Amino acid sequence: MRRALGRAFMAVGEPVPDCIDISGWSEAELDSFVCGPGDALLLWGPAATEAWNIRIRTFRAHHPDLPTLVRIPKGDSAIGEAMLREGFHETYVTAAQAPEALRRGRARLMGPRGQAQSSSGLARGEDPYRFDGLFQNLYDWIYVVGISEQGEMTFETVNPPLHASGSFLNPDFAGRSPESCLTSSSATQLIAHFQRVLQGGTPLQFEEEHPIAREVRTFQTILTPVRNKWGRIHRIAGISRDITALKVAQAELRASEERLNHALDGTQQGLWDLDLETGNIYRSPRWFGMLGYEPGAIASTLQAGFDLIHPEDRLQTEAALNAHLEGRLPGLQVEYRLRTQSGDWLWVFDAGKVVAWRSDGQPARMAGMCTDITDRRRAEESLRALVGGVVHEIRNPVYGISINLDALEATFGEEPRYRPFLSALRESSDRIQGLMNDLRDYGEPRTLNPEPCRVRSLLEDALRSCETLQVSRACKVRLALEDEALVLPLNARRMHQVFRNLIENALHHSPSNGTVSVRGRHLRDEGHDWWTFSVEDEGSGFDPESLARAFEPFFTRRKGGTGLGLSIVKRVVEEHGGTVAVENASGGGARVTLRLPAPRRRMELIGEPRG
């Protein structure tokens, strides 16, 4: 057959290629063979055994540029198709057909311009690195270690990440053993891991430290065994990532969390994080500890938390949360009671804010903090009880004094010698009664429970309460509302007190025949909707000290005043989620402006006809 092939090639004037017999070659010989440009692998019969097929496939995998031909029996096209599917380039039947089959096989390896192509698609002689930089490895060292039949290890290739710092693994390690190019400690560690992969035959993932440029750095590595056709692990592919910065960040995060937990333990505060899309909520261990529960003892849902709120506080808590979620308030700030594991009630101040939004603009995540204010609330309740007791004890004798004063005025009020004394007694009696009323209002509980209220009706009621003072001061009160039918969620009684206090203060500081202006208008500020109400007089305005101390309890410049009026206004307005500000008007006089959150949807009183 060899002679027949030789005569066939000589007949067409071509050199006779080497007919290579690899049936007895070892794996190392298959790997190390170097073929010449004119060589070809010609098989003069189909492979007889599967072992022979394996050797052929291995040989062709190592030498993809070598044309491979196989002789098939005449008329057996099925074998020929099977051989082509196996990857042979051409088949032939007789020796005379071999030269033409070889020509066609070599043509299959040629590119469109006649340049030989390797299995990677690069033309023979083409720069294999001309695509460097197109697909940069940004983070990982990717390397391959070859394992010989004798167990010797050699780096075959090393691809470092972009802008790699230090010299953990370098491309020039290729062809060298780990011991010859790594530090002793690093080589020992890596070789031990390579041995584990060889013994276990499965991928291995681990973290370890290596000294790099006088600095110890941490790497996360995955080693994957690669088997040849005989099932032997002849390579190990490795991917290593420098995670030093990640480990440092994780350590700093743990330290930060520990500091935060220590701080929260000392301040009686618990964190919560609400996923508004799923309704699930995270509560910190300190939150559970404040209520006497073990972490996780309460379901991680918003509803489970609401079930613990005191029935008298639940409505205002839900209203405050909805006001923030609807964009009417910039944040959540509310005080309420929670039932503890022992059945007692714990007062908390809850403050939170939306911290993430969905693509459609709706809130997606909210986080906040609960603070235990039970001691403060108990102190306030004790003070309120004391004030209530004092008011009660003083009101009875003052009531008796007032009745007797009425009798004295009826009997001696017209006599000039008694009139100054009776006037002084009446003023003192009225002042004591006013102080008792203000103390009672200031000491009221903070529970709000708002309901829909028509604002104009509240203002008109407050004006009627001030009619006597208005007549005595000979002043006018002008009321102007942007929306005459405005309805807001308010505590009517307490907001009546707010408007009455503001109008009374303005009347007291207005000159005779002056005008007090009460205005209400809609305002949008920093993405939130508000209703603002201003009360302005034509008096002398605030002096600098009064501006700074306007809301301070018991501070007043007005003779006979208690100094609690604006303090009560500030507290009630803030309980409604609003703010209060004082200033001097540009044209003279003082102006007090309060802002209340506007509902996203227009409110109407039940049973009223629509306009």
Side-chain angles (χ1 to χ4, degrees), residues 184-507:
S184 176
S185 60
S186 294
T188 301
Q189 291 183 88
L190 277 179
I191 291 173
H193 294 310
F194 295 154
Q195 293 294 347
R196 289 177 60 188
V197 173
L198 291 173
Q199 294 170 6
T202 57
L204 177 66
Q205 180 174 341
F206 56 90
E207 291 181 9
E208 65 182 4
E209 295 180 342
H210 291 279
I212 307 296
R214 299 182 180 179
E215 179 184 4
V216 177
R217 304 192 66 82
T218 304
F219 292 85
Q220 183 182 68
T221 299
I222 299 176
L223 298 179
T224 304
V226 180
R227 300 179 183 274
N228 61 15
K229 298 297 181 178
W230 291 270
R232 186 179 72 82
I233 299 175
H234 68 139
R235 288 187 177 89
I236 296 177
I239 301 177
S240 293
R241 175 170 294 188
D242 188 341
I243 59 170
T244 305
L246 176 62
K247 301 293 282 188
V248 171
Q250 290 174 339
E252 292 177 350
L253 178 60
R254 285 193 297 270
S256 177
E257 290 176 345
E258 290 177 359
R259 287 193 294 269
L260 178 60
N261 289 332
H262 292 327
L264 294 179
D265 287 342
T267 57
Q268 295 293 298
Q269 292 179 316
L271 296 175
W272 53 266
D273 190 340
L274 172 62
D275 186 335
L276 293 167
E277 299 188 77
T278 64
N280 292 330
I281 185 171
Y282 164 80
R283 301 180 179 97
S284 69
R286 187 67 208 130
W287 188 94
F288 289 96
M290 289 193 303
L291 300 179
Y293 290 97
E294 291 295 325
I298 300 171
S300 58
T301 63
L302 185 61
Q303 184 60 44
F306 271 109
D307 290 342
L308 298 176
I309 298 178
H310 195 286
E312 295 178 1
D313 303 334
R314 180 160 179 170
L315 182 61
Q316 74 178 62
T317 304
E318 291 178 342
L321 176 60
N322 291 332
H324 175 54
L325 293 178
E326 293 173 3
R328 292 184 281 118
L329 285 178
L332 168 70
Q333 291 190 356
V334 63
E335 295 182 6
Y336 55 87
R337 286 163 286 183
L338 287 172
R339 186 178 65 250
T340 65
Q341 187 182 33
S342 61
D344 296 327
W345 295 103
L346 182 81
W347 275 101
V348 298
F349 170 66
D350 205 344
K353 189 174 183 180
V354 173
V355 295
W357 304 83
R358 297 188 326 207
S359 58
D360 60 359
Q362 294 299 312
R365 181 183 173 194
M366 187 175 179
M369 180 179 294
C370 270
T371 304
D372 182 355
I373 58 169
T374 305
D375 291 341
R376 194 201 79 190
R377 291 297 299 235
R378 287 175 178 170
E380 289 178 353
E381 291 171 1
S382 298
L383 179 60
R384 187 163 51 248
L386 175 62
V387 170
V390 171
V391 169
H392 177 75
E393 293 298 325
I394 294 180
R395 180 175 291 174
N396 290 334
V398 170
Y399 181 69
I401 292 173
S402 179
I403 293 176
N404 287 296
L405 186 56
D406 290 341
L408 286 173
E409 287 179 334
T411 304
F412 304 105
E414 299 301 324
E415 297 186 20
R417 61 176 178 168
Y418 294 126
R419 189 176 301 162
F421 300 105
L422 292 174
S423 178
L425 287 172
R426 174 61 65 187
E427 181 182 350
S428 297
S429 176
D430 291 344
R431 183 176 180 182
I432 293 174
Q433 286 183 344
L435 177 61
M436 293 302 100
N437 291 333
D438 285 348
L439 285 173
R440 180 198 61 201
D441 293 338
Y442 189 74
E444 275 198 348
R446 293 174 180 263
T447 303
L448 196 62
N449 294 329
E451 296 180 350
C453 298
R454 183 182 289 281
V455 175
R456 185 171 185 89
S457 299
L458 285 178
L459 289 169
E460 290 174 346
D461 289 343
L463 288 174
R464 281 192 290 270
S465 301
C466 302
E467 280 182 354
T468 301
L469 178 60
Q470 180 183 348
V471 171
S472 67
R473 301 292 298 175
C475 291
K476 299 177 181 178
V477 178
R478 184 164 50 204
L479 178 60
L481 289 179
E482 188 176 292
D483 183 357
E484 294 289 335
L486 176 63
V487 175
L488 294 178
L490 305 171
N491 184 302
R493 184 180 62 80
R494 302 179 76 173
M495 284 306 299
H496 172 272
Q497 177 73 23
V498 166
F499 290 130
R500 191 189 73 188
N501 284 1
L502 293 179
I503 294 171
E504 282 183 350
N505 280 348
L507 290 171

Side-chain angles (χ1 to χ4, degrees), residues 464-606:
R464 281 192 290 270
S465 301
C466 302
E467 280 182 354
T468 301
L469 178 60
Q470 180 183 348
V471 171
S472 67
R473 301 292 298 175
C475 291
K476 299 177 181 178
V477 178
R478 184 164 50 204
L479 178 60
L481 289 179
E482 188 176 292
D483 183 357
E484 294 289 335
L486 176 63
V487 175
L488 294 178
L490 305 171
N491 184 302
R493 184 180 62 80
R494 302 179 76 173
M495 284 306 299
H496 172 272
Q497 177 73 23
V498 166
F499 290 130
R500 191 189 73 188
N501 284 1
L502 293 179
I503 294 171
E504 282 183 350
N505 280 348
L507 290 171
H508 277 299
H509 290 89
S510 289
S512 297
N513 299 317
T515 300
V516 173
S517 300
V518 181
R519 299 183 180 89
R521 67 186 183 91
H522 179 266
L523 172 69
R524 184 164 182 81
D525 183 31
E526 296 182 355
H528 302 285
D529 291 313
W530 306 86
W531 275 97
T532 65
F533 301 93
S534 63
V535 179
E536 185 177 335
D537 60 55
E538 296 177 344
S540 58
F542 292 99
D543 59 65
E545 184 181 8
S546 297
L547 274 177
R549 303 177 61 186
F551 300 110
E552 185 178 315
F554 302 107
F555 174 80
T556 182
R557 293 292 194 189
R558 180 170 61 85
K559 183 180 179 181
T562 63
L564 290 174
L566 286 180
S567 298
I568 294 172
V569 168
K570 184 175 187 293
R571 199 181 81 170
V572 174
V573 171
E574 288 180 347
E575 288 169 358
H576 282 80
T579 60
V580 184
V582 295
E583 61 183 339
N584 289 320
S586 57
R591 181 189 299 124
V592 180
T593 303
L594 59 90
R595 299 200 306 179
L596 294 174
R600 178 168 292 185
R601 297 180 180 177
R602 181 180 177 83
M603 300 183 68
E604 295 182 356
L605 295 179
I606 298 176

Side-chain angles (χ1 to χ4, degrees), residues 31-90:
D31 291 342
S32 61
F33 174 76
V34 178
C35 61
D39 291 342
L41 177 64
L42 287 84
L43 304 178
W44 42 89
T49 65
E50 180 59 28
W52 178 233
N53 280 336
I54 291 175
R55 289 184 179 276
I56 294 172
R57 285 195 292 268
T58 301
F59 185 82
R60 286 190 291 102
H62 284 288
H63 305 286
D65 295 336
L66 188 69
T68 308
L69 282 64
V70 61
R71 178 179 176 274
I72 60 173
K74 183 178 181 180
D76 198 343
S77 59
I79 293 180
E81 293 174 358
M83 293 296 103
L84 292 176
R85 285 196 300 270
E86 280 288 321
F88 289 95
H89 296 109
E90 282 294 336

